[in-house]
Amino acid sequence: MLISHNDINGYDRFYRANLINSLSGFKSVSLIGTKNKSGISNLAIFSNIVHLGADPSLIGFVNRPLEAAPHTLTNIESTGFYTINHIHTDWIEQAHQTSAKYPVGVSEFDSCGFTEEYIDGFNAPFVKESVIKYGMKLIEVVPIKHNNTFFVIGEVVIISVPESIISSDGFIESDKANSCCSLGTDGYYSTELITRLPYAKAK
Amino acid sequence: MLISHNDINGYDRFYRANLINSLSGFKSVSLIGTKNKSGISNLAIFSNIVHLGADPSLIGFVNRPLEAAPHTLTNIESTGFYTINHIHTDWIEQAHQTSAKYPVGVSEFDSCGFTEEYIDGFNAPFVKESVIKYGMKLIEVVPIKHNNTFFVIGEVVIISVPESIISSDGFIESDKANSCCSLGTDGYYSTELITRLPYAKAK
């Protein structure tokens, strides 16, 4: 079926949110760990994460408007550091629960059943239960003026990953760690490798 | 194993690219269709696509530096329109082939075996073989100064999707259309639904 611009604008809020959120396809859902100035930890689920470049190693994510999602971005801006932790198929419900609105003094690590882990002096909490995780240093927060979201850019400064799932060419086989992906705001999926393909050349 | 900032910087270019590209997790790989001012079509694979918001319906993607990936962004800036087309598990090799460097006068639709489709007067070519696809109007190109990439923001203005895979709440069940996701620069995956979860509330 064809859905026009007018159709999209005419849908009710929840129908449109589900439609547009799922339209862009499968996403790399992860938990972002931070601390505020008082040292209270925060953990929240994010699914719009992109690779920006490998040299320097930059990764970006989308933060919703501050009134909807204030804690993570505020903490990142005050400390300059955050962690990104893969979500695995056996604890999706706990990870999804971090999307609930907890007050500022409550840590989602405790409320949702995760264990804070501090690695090598890095100044933000990792999720101990996560098998693939990395520490980020804030580079820039780009305000997106059209809808008051933010594109948050950071540099990868530390990675924790089992050596057994890194291929000889550096590729991390996340499916072997049961990392999941998401669709829309609430769909969670496992993945199965179809193929890795060689660098494409014009024929 | 722990990988430090120094380790990352010490890896050779290809190892580091595979590691960092796969670190951020599964991605919504799609084909972006455009036309240049002379009407010659272009088709290229992109995997860093994010949902920015549903009201207005904004989707963003990362375009590599212009010297590495010039055609899509140049076409989008000159016409103001582009299409994003899901990639399905049965034609991954053709989709990957669009990443090869073809000269500006050569259309990847022809070279890689895809069929141009024009829908409802929309001013950019869709991929006929794609089951889920949407037409975008350019809103803003945000230059990322740290590595010369671009964050391209557009608004969804038309959607083509089978009614049979839209749930009653608007959610598009992309796995039923065999849309795939990617990991790193060259890994392609099928997905299987684990669960959809209700809106989370603080307990």
Side-chain angles (χ1 to χ4, degrees):
Chain A
M1 69 184 289
L2 277 187
I3 299 172
S4 71
H5 197 214
N6 278 343
D7 293 333
I8 296 170
N9 290 334
Y11 289 138
D12 89 74
R13 184 182 154 202
F14 295 103
Y15 190 95
R16 184 176 56 229
N18 282 324
L19 185 81
I20 302 298
N21 255 291
S22 55
L23 180 62
S24 54
F26 297 105
K27 300 185 286 189
S28 63
V29 67
S30 291
L31 291 171
I32 297 189
T34 56
K35 277 204 300 196
N36 71 10
K37 276 185 182 167
S38 315
I40 296 172
S41 61
N42 189 273
L43 191 64
I45 193 165
F46 285 81
S47 59
N48 288 291
I49 301 169
V50 289
H51 170 82
L52 268 175
D55 186 17
S57 301
L58 301 181
I59 289 174
F61 76 89
V62 176
N63 197 98
R64 290 185 300 149
L66 270 186
E67 59 272 23
H71 302 159
T72 297
L73 187 54
T74 304
N75 291 354
I76 290 175
E77 288 189 308
S78 40
T79 66
F81 292 95
Y82 52 109
T83 69
I84 305 185
N85 308 268
H86 279 214
I87 294 170
H88 306 292
T89 52
D90 50 340
W91 42 265
I92 288 170
E93 294 194 11
Q94 293 99 296
H96 185 74
Q97 182 61 28
T98 65
S99 64
K101 288 189 201 305
Y102 290 98
V104 69
V106 174
S107 169
E108 292 83 1
F109 279 95
D110 301 332
S111 317
C112 304
F114 292 105
T115 313
E116 290 182 39
E117 183 184 31
Y118 290 89
I119 298 178
D120 216 26
F122 188 77
N123 189 31
F126 288 89
V127 175
K128 187 168 187 179
E129 291 78 3
S130 182
V131 176
I132 302 171
K133 48 203 169 191
Y134 44 107
M136 301 289 294
K137 179 186 172 191
L138 176 63
I139 297 291
E140 187 184 4
V141 178
V142 181
I144 305 298
K145 61 190 176 200
H146 311 286
N147 65 356
N148 299 318
T149 56
F150 300 89
F151 188 53
V152 183
I153 301 171
E155 183 174 4
V156 182
V157 292
I158 187 169
I159 301 171
S160 173
V161 58
E163 197 168 357
S164 59
I165 62 167
I166 305 180
S167 302
S168 58
D169 63 358
F171 185 90
I172 300 171
E173 301 175 310
S174 302
D175 54 323
K176 294 195 176 161
N178 296 318
S179 294
C180 69
C181 63
S182 72
L183 185 62
T185 58
D186 58 15
Y188 296 88
Y189 294 77
S190 61
T191 67
E192 188 174 350
L193 177 66
I194 301 171
T195 183
R196 286 189 69 195
L197 293 174
Y199 185 82
K201 292 180 180 166
K203 287 171 183 169
Chain B
M1 68 184 290
L2 278 187
I3 299 172
S4 72
H5 197 215
N6 278 343
D7 294 333
I8 296 170
N9 289 334
Y11 289 139
D12 88 74
R13 184 182 154 203
F14 294 104
Y15 190 94
R16 183 175 57 229
N18 282 323
L19 184 82
I20 302 298
N21 254 292
S22 54
L23 180 63
S24 55
F26 297 105
K27 301 185 286 189
S28 62
V29 67
S30 291
L31 291 171
I32 297 189
T34 55
K35 278 204 300 196
N36 71 10
K37 276 185 179 164
S38 314
I40 297 174
S41 60
N42 189 275
L43 191 65
I45 194 164
F46 286 80
S47 59
N48 288 290
I49 301 169
V50 288
H51 170 83
L52 269 175
D55 185 20
S57 301
L58 302 181
I59 289 173
F61 76 89
V62 177
N63 198 98
R64 290 184 300 150
L66 271 186
E67 59 273 23
H71 302 157
T72 296
L73 187 54
T74 304
N75 291 353
I76 289 175
E77 289 191 305
S78 43
T79 66
F81 293 94
Y82 52 109
T83 69
I84 304 184
N85 308 267
H86 279 214
I87 294 170
H88 306 292
T89 52
D90 51 338
W91 42 265
I92 287 169
E93 294 196 10
Q94 294 98 296
H96 185 74
Q97 183 60 30
T98 64
S99 63
K101 289 188 200 309
Y102 289 98
V104 67
V106 174
S107 169
E108 291 83 1
F109 279 95
D110 300 332
S111 318
C112 304
F114 293 106
T115 314
E116 290 182 39
E117 183 183 32
Y118 290 88
I119 297 178
D120 217 26
F122 188 78
N123 190 30
F126 288 88
V127 174
K128 187 167 187 179
E129 290 78 4
S130 181
V131 176
I132 302 171
K133 47 203 169 191
Y134 45 108
M136 300 291 293
K137 179 187 173 189
L138 176 64
I139 298 291
E140 187 185 3
V141 177
V142 180
I144 306 298
K145 61 190 174 200
H146 311 286
N147 65 356
N148 298 317
T149 57
F150 301 88
F151 188 54
V152 183
I153 301 171
E155 182 174 4
V156 182
V157 293
I158 187 168
I159 301 170
S160 174
V161 58
E163 196 168 358
S164 60
I165 62 167
I166 306 180
S167 302
S168 58
D169 63 0
F171 185 90
I172 301 171
E173 300 174 312
S174 302
D175 53 324
K176 293 195 178 164
N178 295 320
S179 293
C180 69
C181 64
S182 71
L183 184 62
T185 58
D186 57 16
Y188 296 88
Y189 293 76
S190 61
T191 67
E192 189 174 350
L193 178 65
I194 301 171
T195 184
R196 285 189 70 194
L197 293 175
Y199 185 82
K201 290 179 182 169
K203 285 172 184 168

